Amino acid sequence: LAPNNSVVLGELERVEDGFVAYYTVPEPGSYRLFIEFSGEQVPGCPFIIDAVVGGEPARCRAFGDGLSRGWVGQPATFTVETRGAGTGGLGLTIEGPSEAHIECQDNGDGSCSVSYLPSSKGSYQINVRFDDEHIPGSPFHA
């Protein structure tokens, strides 16, 4: 149900291990998703879905030791959560006395694990952007 209690229709597609639902919401806001199986409502209903326009970098967060310290030649790690931030690309850059190789792994749950390898001693600036804007706390300094 839409914020104004109108019904939003969608389509179901059968996949190997269940179903996938596709729907398009007409406007931003909180929607209530009701799911029934064999005529019974699924436990936990209604599920609340917050639809937003574009991305909301303020709803992202980054945490982990790699945002504040690291050692030369050893991977420094941190996590970025974008769950609930809407649509937008995640951008990561690290500036410092030398190039720091960055690896990012999507965890499939609205977060990603980031690892970088500082190759020289010195101060590094870690920029984390969502939808082309810094997330809270960014840039970080290690």
Side-chain angles (χ1 to χ4, degrees):
L1 288 179
N4 64 3
N5 289 325
S6 64
V7 174
V8 176
L9 298 177
E11 295 180 19
L12 274 180
E13 178 182 322
R14 182 179 270 289
V15 294
E16 186 176 317
D17 58 347
F19 295 90
V20 175
Y22 298 94
Y23 54 91
T24 302
V25 297
E27 62 186 340
S30 289
Y31 288 75
R32 292 174 287 162
L33 176 63
F34 294 89
I35 301 173
E36 289 185 4
F37 183 75
S38 296
E40 300 273 331
Q41 210 172 77
V42 173
C45 281
F47 299 98
I48 305 301
I49 299 170
D50 290 321
V52 297
V53 175
E56 291 187 60
R59 297 186 81 176
C60 299
R61 73 181 191 121
F63 57 91
D65 289 342
L67 293 172
S68 59
R69 63 178 177 241
W71 290 267
V72 173
Q74 295 182 10
T77 61
F78 61 94
T79 301
V80 179
E81 288 183 347
T82 60
R83 190 177 314 111
T87 58
L90 180 63
L92 301 165
T93 59
I94 299 179
E95 302 169 21
S98 65
E99 184 177 344
H101 178 72
I102 305 170
E103 290 185 12
C104 183
Q105 179 177 341
D106 185 345
N107 296 324
D109 63 356
S111 72
C112 65
S113 297
V114 181
S115 174
Y116 68 96
L117 189 64
S119 55
S120 295
K121 183 177 179 178
S123 181
Y124 288 81
Q125 179 175 302
I126 302 150
N127 301 292
V128 183
R129 294 174 175 262
F130 184 78
D131 201 26
D132 292 324
E133 293 182 33
H134 281 283
I135 70 165
S138 180
F140 299 91
H141 299 278

